[in-house]
Amino acid sequence: MPTEYGPVAVWGVAVAVGLATFAVRGSFVYLFGRVESVPPRVTQALRFVPPAVFAALVVPSLVVVDGSADLSPVAVSLSRGFSVAVGNERLLAGIVAAGAAWVTEDVFATIAAGMATLWLLRFVV
Amino acid sequence: MPVSHVPPAVRRGVRDATPVAVGIVPFGLITGVASVKAGLSPAQAVGFSFLAFAGASQLAVVDLLGRNATLAVAVLTGVVINLRLLMFSASIAPYFRPFDSRRKTLSSYLLTDQAYALAVSWYREADPDSTARFRYFVAAGGWLWVVWQASLVAGVVAGANVPESWGLEFAVPLVFLGLLVPAVSTRPTLAAAVVGGGVAVAGDVVTVGGSPGLPYNLSLVVGAVAGVLAGVAVSAAGGGGDGDADDGSDGDPETPEEAGD
């Protein structure tokens, strides 16, 4: 799924994000003396940016399949006897990875658990 | 130059940053692989990394470019993820105040969560002078920069050779998951995550004008805004844990109406 944007657009994004990020980093380092600190309400709102943005990035990529939500990590069928199969493999791998993240609080362990689960489901099961 | 001639603050900075540097290697590798898979040229991948030097934000932007998201959404997402650096900038500014503007520029460029955390804890513990503060920061931050860029380049080189069937692009959401889970530690942060994720999904599956998903890939932005508002609202309602003495004195419960658009 390579990008259809040309080099000018890609470089434009890179420069825009780079400059804005530098401005954020340098803001108080340069302004100090004129602005004492970040207003507490802004600080508080900023604290919610990581969970909100990361969730908005992660959850759709685990749950949305071909434009609709697939919320079943395992598929249970009762029609012809009882059978259990893998449903949404990305969601199942994501749940395992979230468990690993919860226990270890380590990004590497999270990636390892999620990829191992995905490969297991894809190549073994 | 023998090691003994290296200023102690530099040695200390490199030593303190090393365990953290090891931890960012897989993250850098994945960002490099994802950059190539998203269709960036090696020069673009590395150039972007030099310009932004911002892990999660770089990965998100690259992922969005690969999905042909609207450019404004890609830039906005990349910048919003980095807004937290405002807090670190404000917090570390008093220590940088005596620096001349060249030193301020370099230190600002190298300001990451990790460099901030390492430096501030050393500054508080050792109370070094301004020269030592600068040396420590550049040593720790610079070492993290080197390791990040090197692992990104390794990922760019490897990326072309990773077979499609490995599904390595799945590592991208896993990285964000690994960052998300520890960020959810209180009821308001949980509300931010649940609403942010839920609204983003809703935005992706809602049918607008015959095709699924909000136009201009706005589901991500709308989800993020709704999540932040939810966190603020729960926190103002006394949702425990995250109330930093602000307990909703003038709680203006901004309507999550904005999600409508």
Side-chain angles (χ1 to χ4, degrees):
Chain A
M1 37 130 214
T3 183
E4 283 156 22
Y5 288 115
V8 175
V10 172
W11 280 113
V13 168
V15 169
V17 174
L19 285 178
T21 304
F22 180 77
V24 170
R25 287 173 162 146
S27 56
F28 284 90
V29 172
Y30 282 96
L31 288 178
F32 207 83
R34 272 178 282 174
V35 184
E36 272 305 308
S37 63
V38 188
R41 291 177 60 204
V42 175
T43 307
Q44 205 206 16
L46 287 178
R47 202 169 294 154
F48 300 121
V49 169
V53 176
F54 293 141
L57 281 162
V58 168
V59 182
S61 58
L62 300 181
V63 162
V64 178
V65 180
D66 298 327
S68 58
D70 182 349
L71 296 169
S72 51
V74 290
V76 179
S77 166
L78 295 170
S79 57
R80 291 185 207 165
F82 182 76
S83 67
V84 178
V86 175
N88 179 351
E89 63 174 14
R90 280 185 292 155
L91 180 55
L92 188 52
I95 290 169
V96 173
W102 184 263
V103 174
T104 65
E105 300 218 337
D106 179 65
V107 173
F108 181 68
T110 309
I111 300 165
M115 292 311 294
T117 308
L118 186 78
W119 290 337
L120 200 69
L121 297 175
R122 219 173 248 192
F123 300 130
V124 181
V125 176
Chain B
M1 177 156 75
V3 174
S4 58
H5 289 183
V6 176
V10 171
R11 265 182 288 157
R12 183 68 197 261
V14 169
R15 198 180 70 200
D16 289 352
T18 297
V20 182
V22 172
I24 64 175
V25 168
F27 195 171
L29 279 169
I30 286 167
T31 307
V33 172
S35 301
V36 176
K37 296 272 183 209
L40 271 66
S41 71
Q44 288 165 350
V46 176
F48 181 31
S49 193
F50 275 46
L51 284 164
F53 181 44
S57 148
Q58 262 175 262
L59 188 59
V61 170
V62 160
D63 184 41
L64 288 168
L65 284 174
R67 290 193 258 152
N68 289 305
T70 317
L71 294 179
V73 167
V75 171
L76 190 63
T77 304
V79 175
V80 166
I81 291 176
N82 288 333
L83 278 182
R84 71 187 188 290
L85 297 170
L86 210 59
M87 297 191 283
F88 303 141
S89 182
S91 166
I92 210 163
Y95 296 106
F96 290 173
R97 202 199 297 231
F99 295 0
D100 61 31
S101 70
R102 270 204 0 252
R103 287 180 168 196
K104 280 182 177 168
T105 303
L106 182 57
S107 304
S108 297
Y109 172 69
L110 292 173
L111 182 62
T112 56
D113 314 51
Q114 295 92 342
Y116 163 81
L118 291 166
V120 166
S121 70
W122 188 66
Y123 294 169
R124 283 182 188 150
E125 167 202 318
D127 193 24
D129 65 13
S130 137
T131 304
R133 285 201 297 268
F134 176 71
R135 284 176 174 163
Y136 182 94
F137 194 81
V138 171
W143 181 221
L144 292 170
W145 186 92
V146 168
V147 171
W148 170 257
Q149 306 299 359
S151 50
L152 179 117
V153 169
V156 167
V157 172
N161 302 314
V162 177
E164 214 50 52
S165 66
W166 288 21
L168 210 60
E169 64 279 358
F170 188 61
V172 173
L174 291 176
V175 169
F176 294 128
L177 191 60
L179 298 170
L180 169 66
V181 172
V184 175
S185 52
T186 60
R187 269 207 294 173
T189 49
L190 180 64
V194 170
V195 173
V199 171
V201 169
D204 271 348
V205 301
V206 71
T207 304
V208 180
S211 61
L214 293 178
Y216 311 116
N217 330 90
L218 278 174
S219 59
L220 173 59
V221 174
V222 171
V225 170
V228 171
L229 292 177
V232 171
V234 171
S235 163
D242 232 312
D244 52 344
D246 192 321
D247 33 79
S249 42
D250 58 346
D252 60 337
E254 279 144 271
T255 44
E257 190 82 48
E258 219 154 320
D261 202 328

